[in-house]
């Protein structure tokens, strides 16, 4: 605890944003958190944070913060609760968990965490309790899995070139991401390259985002067609001789079969699929093929579709063909999400050695199907009868929201939600526990979009009677008889221990420096010593069976797959639901500034369609499919292809006229080969109201 007032303290942003900014948090003279800035001396953050975190005090001191444990006093979902003490709450949870485990087996209890905080302790620390008790495990698929699958298929590990190298690039390709809104620090490094080297900035997206507005070249394509564009670019690279054959020979599994296949995927073929012109494709390919220092920065967005893993794989082939990986400022980066890279002793932190491999692993994204008793989603095991949810607002963010709400509201489900706010998920709970925010507890944070491991200390006392996630885990462990050395340590001791066991700086040192930079040496980050694959090569012909169980649906060679939700006569539009700039997933949709800036749920409709349908800005429209329908306000905008509809932001159901949130329309079927949700892959119809 640091008690100096009127001073800036080092911290880290806890949110699910790959920027993981190093922060300077001002504690004002009255002991309250004031303005938050980006750390100037961290060369990735470089003094910049997004506006929503700069005004974080609005969230910390929000009058609606949960401040005491609550017990349901009315019917499920009625929102009627009474205050209870922490002891009462914890005793009741432990008692119910014991009875349920005796009656239905420990696997009928499903501890569940998501990305509300990304701290290594406060997010994943729940796994300690789960592992020691033999409760059902969680496959965390809601965010990165389709992208990860595609990257692992070719590259082999979630590591890549240092993103700070973008400043040394002559061409930066932002593929399927919107960093101006979703990880603003990328733009700092892009801007440097543009200013100092005149670098070109290309963005591939499906609508005119704030990032597209800053691009030199914007490629606006039909949703789900990225692999076709990537293949056609490869085709031009080969037909115009912009290929590094020596590199392909030395570092990849490239062969004649791959080349012949690529030669069938012409710009004409891709133009038809993507909606781009042949010229647009060819000139982008030429720019890429003639710029050695080209940096491919892959986003998540283009992979949130049923053919998304294949799209990531196809896109990741591009720098292997030109050999861009060899150059400083060249190559590619997606995410640094690799245990060995970060170096913490996660075995100890999460009691991993206590895992019983026979315990089933339930898919986080299929929470609706799991709770509604789908045998396949339950892995043919017992029904889930109890849950403890931390950092998760599944009632709003998960796909197939109708099933999620039905499941969370089951009378025979004992639901505990640990939250900062009374979210739609918490409203369904039997017990609601009030949670601290990041300045009220301590943690370590992986910089998933860069290479810093950053420390966030406890800076203020918890608001009201809030407690960190780790407190709940420890207290339940005591009451349930879960014994493991990691559960016996206080947060500070535990973090210090896993740092020491990982040969990293101590917590005291990190408190001084703020972070440790885990960047790899150039040769390793550029895979000049080989790719992290069993044969040391980049794979054009991936072994998808090593990536996930549903591998039979994956193309054997890099390719565009038609295996996704395509527009049809009855569902003529493709709906894409990307993040809102002023929210962070569902978080900040409770802060007045966030709400005011975003305005309300809106759907962007192209003017060609608007004319045909008689829609104008401000009119109410209903969009839907067999999963349900939602009512939104139309906004005419020609930033996307005419059959694409855009709805930004994961608004709570109550923001919608009929109290149906947008994810009602999104399918809960897992994305091949290893799961994940297809948030941007939905075919819908539209009616004017
Ligand atoms: N339509 C649509 N849906 C999407 C997406 C999309 O692009 N479009 N994106 C998807 C993606 S990528 C993701 S990652 C998921 C995110 O889904 P979630 O991780 O569920 O969403 P968040 O809003 O980030 O955080 C959930 C909750 O965590 C709480 N929280 C924050 N810190 C703490 C803490 O320290 N302790 C406790 N107990 N609670 C805390 C917050 O108050 C918040 O309500 O949403 C997915 N859903
Ligand atoms: N302000 C803000 N910041 C955030 C979040 C937030 O909700 N709000 N969420 C955080 C989280 S959890 C994550 S995972 C990251 C996500 O960060 P991003 O990667 O930026 O977000 P995505 O939702 O994955 O969508 C990115 C872009 O992909 C585009 N897209 C959708 N479909 C396609 C397609 O088929 N092809 C192509 N080329 N593009 C497509 C969308 O239009 C969108 O502009 O952002 C994080 N940061
Ligand atoms: S939400 Fe992202 S951009 Fe904003 S402060 Fe946090 S890490 Fe930085
Ligand atoms: Mo995410």
């Amino acid at each position: 605890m640091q008690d100096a007032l009127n001073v800036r303290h080092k911290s880290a942003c806890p949110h699910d944003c790959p920027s993981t900014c190093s922060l300077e948090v001002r504690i004002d003279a009255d002991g309250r958190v004031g303005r938050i800035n980006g750390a100037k001396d961290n060369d990735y953050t470089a003094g910049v944070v997004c506006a929503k975190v700069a005004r974080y005090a609005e969230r910390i001191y929000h009058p609606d913060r949960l401040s005491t444990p609550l017990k349901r006093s009315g019917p499920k979902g009625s929102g009627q609760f009474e205050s209870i003490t922490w002891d009462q709450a914890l005793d009741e949870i432990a008692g119910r968990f014991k009875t349920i485990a005796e009656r239905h087996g420990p696997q009928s209890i499903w501890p569940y965490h998501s990305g509300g905080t990304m701290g290594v302790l406060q997010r994943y620390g729940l796994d300690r309790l789960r592992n020691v008790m033999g409760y059902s495990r969680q496959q965390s698929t809601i965010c990165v899995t389709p992208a990860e699958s595609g990257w692992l298929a070719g590259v082999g590990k979630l590591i890549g070139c240092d993103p700070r190298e973008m400043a040394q690039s002559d061409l930066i390709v932002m593929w399927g991401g919107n960093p101006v809104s979703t990880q603003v620090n990328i733009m700092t490094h892009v801007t440097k390259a543009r200013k100092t080297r005149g670098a070109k900035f290309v963005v591939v997206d499906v609508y005119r985002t704030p990032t597209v507005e800053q691009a030199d070249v914007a490629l606006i394509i039909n949703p789900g067609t990225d692999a076709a564009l990537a293949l056609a670019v490869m085709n031009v690279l080969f037909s115009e001789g912009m290929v590094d054959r020596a590199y392909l020979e030395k570092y990849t599994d490239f062969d004649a079969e791959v080349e012949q296949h690529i030669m069938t995927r012409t710009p004409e073929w891709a133009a038809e699929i993507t909606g781009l012109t042949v010229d647009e494709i060819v000139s982008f390919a030429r720019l890429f093929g003639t710029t050695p220092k080209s940096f491919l920065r892959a986003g998540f967005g283009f992979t949130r579709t049923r053919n998304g893993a294949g799209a990531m794989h196809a896109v990741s082939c591009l720098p292997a063909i030109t050999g861009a990986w060899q150059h400083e400022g060249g190559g590619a980066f997606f995410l640094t999400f690799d245990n060995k890279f970060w170096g913490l002793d996660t075995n100890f932190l999460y009691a991993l050695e206590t895992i019983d491999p026979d315990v089933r692993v339930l898919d986080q994204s299929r929470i609706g199907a799991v709770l509604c008793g789908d045998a396949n989603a339950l892995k043919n095991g017992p029904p889930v009868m109890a849950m403890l949810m931390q950092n998760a607002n599944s009632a709003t963010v998960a796909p197939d929201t109708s099933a999620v709400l039905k499941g969370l509201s089951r009378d025979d489900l004992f639901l505990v939600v640990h939250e900062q706010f009374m979210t739609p998920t918490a409203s369904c709970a039997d017990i609601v526990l009030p949670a601290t925010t990041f300045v009220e507890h301590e943690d370590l944070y992986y910089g998933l979009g860069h290479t810093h491991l950053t420390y966030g200390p406890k800076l203020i006392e918890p608001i009201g009677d809030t407690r960190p996630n780790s407190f709940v885990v420890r207290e339940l462990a005591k009451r349930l008889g879960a014994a493991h050395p990691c559960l016996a340590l206080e947060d500070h001791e535990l973090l210090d221990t896993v740092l020491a066991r990982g040969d990293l700086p101590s917590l005291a040192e990190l408190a001084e420096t703020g972070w440790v930079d885990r960047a790899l040496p150039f040769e390793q980050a550029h895979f000049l010593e080989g790719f992290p694959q069993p044969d040391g090569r980049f794979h054009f012909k991936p072994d998808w069976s090593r990536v996930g169980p549903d591998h039979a649906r994956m193309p054997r060679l890099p390719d565009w797959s038609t295996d996704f939700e395509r527009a049809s006569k009855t569902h003529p539009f493709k709906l894409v639901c990307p993040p809102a700039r002023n929210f962070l997933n569902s978080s900040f949709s409770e802060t007045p500034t966030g709400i005011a800036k975003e305005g309300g749920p809106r759907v962007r409709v192209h003017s060609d369609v608007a004319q045909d349908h008689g829609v104008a800005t401000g009119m109410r429209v209903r969009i839907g499919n067999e999963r349900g329908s939602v009512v939104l306000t139309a906004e005419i905008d020609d930033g996307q292809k005419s059959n694409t509809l855009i709805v930004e932001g994961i608004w709570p159901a109550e923001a919608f006229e009929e109290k149906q949130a947008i994810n009602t329309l999104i399918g809960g079927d897992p994305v091949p080969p290893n799961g994940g949700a297809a948030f941007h892959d939905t075919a819908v119809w539209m009616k004017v109201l």
Side-chain angles (χ1 to χ4, degrees):
M1 175 76 186
Q2 307 186 9
D3 49 15
L5 302 179
N6 244 336
V7 186
R8 287 185 177 171
H9 299 272
K10 285 182 186 293
S11 183
C13 178
H15 282 289
D16 194 354
C17 166
S19 275
T20 319
C21 292
S22 292
L23 305 179
E24 287 177 359
V25 177
R26 194 181 169 83
I27 305 292
D28 289 337
D30 56 4
R32 287 164 67 96
V33 171
R35 195 168 168 83
I36 295 182
N37 295 96
K40 287 198 185 64
D41 50 347
N42 179 296
D43 58 3
Y44 187 76
T45 303
V48 177
V49 288
C50 64
K52 58 194 177 302
V53 167
R55 54 173 183 264
Y56 211 80
E58 196 181 355
R59 204 162 180 274
I60 300 169
Y61 303 109
H62 196 298
D64 297 343
R65 269 288 296 278
L66 293 168
S67 64
T68 170
L70 300 171
K71 183 176 171 165
R72 178 164 68 83
S73 57
K76 279 242 168 176
S78 62
Q80 294 167 33
F81 292 97
E82 60 189 24
S83 296
I84 53 172
T85 66
W86 270 101
D87 274 333
Q88 286 170 328
L90 293 163
D91 289 346
E92 168 142 5
I93 298 166
R96 292 291 300 270
F97 275 21
K98 274 186 194 159
T99 321
I100 288 168
E102 273 160 25
R103 196 169 302 160
H104 303 278
Q107 295 191 54
S108 63
I109 298 170
W110 192 24
Y112 187 104
H113 53 69
S114 190
T117 172
M118 291 297 282
V120 301
L121 179 56
Q122 308 298 353
R123 173 172 180 177
Y124 303 98
L126 182 57
D127 289 343
R128 298 178 282 171
L129 186 68
R130 170 208 319 281
N131 293 340
V132 176
M133 296 302 294
Y135 296 155
S136 277
R137 292 159 65 195
Q138 168 182 327
Q139 187 196 1
S140 300
T141 55
I142 198 116
C143 180
V144 71
T145 305
E148 173 187 60
S149 299
W151 188 269
L152 294 181
V155 174
K157 262 191 179 187
L158 282 187
I159 51 176
C161 304
D162 192 322
R164 286 169 293 194
E165 272 184 40
M166 284 187 287
Q168 266 96 59
S169 304
D170 296 319
L171 168 65
I172 298 156
V173 181
M174 185 69 228
W175 201 304
N178 175 16
V180 170
S181 298
T182 63
Q183 32 177 333
V184 64
N185 307 75
I186 288 181
M187 297 310 294
T188 305
H189 303 279
V190 171
T191 306
K192 246 190 220 169
R194 294 174 97 176
K195 277 201 180 139
T196 58
R197 315 174 57 87
K200 289 268 181 301
F201 184 46
V202 176
V203 181
V204 185
D205 208 296
V206 296
Y207 78 110
R208 192 171 54 232
T209 64
T211 310
V212 164
E213 275 165 14
Q214 297 205 11
D216 297 299
V217 180
L219 299 169
I220 304 296
I221 61 175
N222 288 317
T225 65
D226 298 80
L229 174 58
L231 264 294
V233 171
M234 293 187 229
N235 179 290
V236 178
L237 295 175
F238 278 97
S239 52
E240 299 194 4
M242 296 177 282
V243 175
D244 186 337
R245 293 210 178 250
Y247 182 88
L248 283 174
E249 174 68 27
K250 185 169 176 198
Y251 288 103
T252 79
D253 67 351
F254 185 81
D255 63 11
E257 187 194 19
V258 178
E259 184 163 351
Q260 277 159 18
H261 163 72
I262 289 172
M263 293 324 290
T264 65
R265 299 298 187 248
T266 61
E268 290 73 18
W269 166 81
E272 181 88 15
I273 296 165
T274 58
L276 296 172
T277 62
V278 170
D279 265 1
E280 282 176 302
I281 298 171
V282 172
S283 24
F284 169 49
R286 284 181 186 153
L287 182 60
F288 188 79
T290 54
T291 316
K293 286 171 178 265
S294 60
F295 198 103
L296 177 77
R297 187 63 181 79
F300 298 68
F302 74 104
T303 70
R304 303 197 195 289
T305 139
R306 289 168 182 76
N307 61 2
M312 177 62 102
H313 174 248
V315 170
S316 74
C317 291
L318 292 172
I321 290 179
T322 59
W325 286 108
Q326 299 160 99
H327 311 292
E328 189 177 15
F333 179 80
F334 169 52
L335 217 60
T336 32
F337 206 8
D338 181 79
N339 271 345
K340 205 166 150 211
F341 177 91
W342 292 113
L344 289 176
D345 181 1
T346 48
N347 279 333
F348 183 74
L349 183 56
Y350 307 132
L352 295 184
E353 82 283 358
T354 66
I355 290 178
D356 173 353
D358 291 336
V359 171
R360 67 180 170 184
V361 185
L362 300 176
D363 182 341
Q364 172 192 27
S365 300
R366 301 191 73 195
I367 177 172
V370 165
L371 293 181
C372 290
D374 178 301
N376 173 275
L378 285 165
K379 304 276 172 80
N380 298 309
V384 168
M385 303 303 292
M387 287 183 83
L388 164 57
M389 301 181 79
Q390 292 186 320
N391 336 308
N393 185 12
S394 307
T396 306
V397 308
D400 197 5
T401 317
S402 307
V404 179
L405 281 169
K406 195 170 155 206
L408 289 173
S409 316
R410 260 172 46 199
D411 273 326
D412 61 346
L413 174 76
F414 177 63
L415 179 65
V416 182
V417 177
H418 192 182
E419 247 303 342
Q420 295 162 341
F421 290 91
M422 186 56 80
T423 59
T425 309
S427 311
C428 299
D430 296 284
I431 305 256
V432 179
L433 302 172
T436 42
T437 66
F438 76 105
V439 284
E440 300 155 60
H441 57 237
E442 68 180 326
D443 217 331
L444 289 168
Y445 302 89
Y446 300 138
L448 301 181
H450 50 97
T451 56
H452 297 94
L453 177 70
T454 311
Y455 175 54
K458 176 179 170 186
L459 295 174
I460 58 167
E461 285 305 323
I463 304 286
D465 215 0
T466 57
R467 296 279 187 276
N469 295 355
S470 52
F471 168 84
V472 170
V473 169
R474 267 195 310 270
E475 289 300 316
L476 286 179
K478 275 186 216 158
R479 286 166 172 80
L480 290 161
H484 188 275
C486 72
L487 287 161
L489 298 177
E490 291 297 316
D491 293 358
H492 198 77
E493 298 166 323
L494 180 56
L495 292 174
D496 216 22
T497 306
V498 296
L499 284 165
R501 285 167 166 242
D503 207 14
L504 287 155
S506 69
L507 222 43
E509 285 170 81
L510 283 182
E512 282 295 312
T513 57
W515 56 82
V516 52
D517 188 352
R518 300 282 299 162
L520 294 168
F522 179 85
E523 284 73 21
Q524 283 174 32
H526 286 253
F527 306 121
L528 299 180
E529 298 166 357
F531 281 83
Q533 291 282 15
D535 59 359
R537 289 166 181 273
F538 177 87
H539 288 184
F540 284 91
K541 298 161 95 166
D543 178 359
W544 288 105
S545 71
R546 290 182 62 238
V547 183
D550 202 2
H551 52 87
R553 286 169 67 187
M554 301 309 297
R556 201 173 59 82
L557 300 168
D559 210 354
W560 175 64
S561 160
T562 55
D563 184 8
F564 67 112
E565 201 163 296
R566 306 188 69 181
S568 64
K569 260 204 175 124
T570 51
H571 299 76
F573 300 101
K574 279 299 303 252
L575 170 68
V576 173
C577 304
R581 188 167 183 173
N582 296 286
F583 298 162
L584 199 303
N585 301 324
S586 67
S587 303
F588 297 92
S589 64
E590 71 286 319
T591 55
T593 313
I595 297 168
K597 288 198 177 235
E598 290 300 330
R602 283 188 303 265
V603 56
R604 297 189 195 198
V605 181
H606 194 279
S607 59
D608 291 351
V609 175
Q611 262 175 3
D612 293 350
H613 281 66
V615 190
T617 293
M619 285 173 78
R620 290 157 59 244
V621 295
R622 181 184 294 284
I623 59 174
N625 55 23
E626 59 290 348
R627 300 177 192 114
S629 71
V630 301
V631 176
L632 297 134
T633 307
E635 188 175 65
I636 309 309
D637 189 314
D638 289 352
Q640 69 277 5
K641 299 285 178 202
S642 58
N643 70 341
T644 307
L645 303 176
I646 306 288
V647 177
E648 281 185 352
I650 325 179
W651 290 86
E654 66 188 45
F656 290 81
E657 188 178 313
E658 293 179 347
K659 317 292 178 215
Q660 296 279 338
I662 193 69
N663 284 3
T664 309
L665 305 181
I666 289 167
D669 50 313
V671 169
N674 198 31
F679 291 112
H680 305 331
D681 182 15
T682 310
V684 292
W685 44 255
M686 178 176 67
K687 290 179 187 151
V688 184
L689 297 176

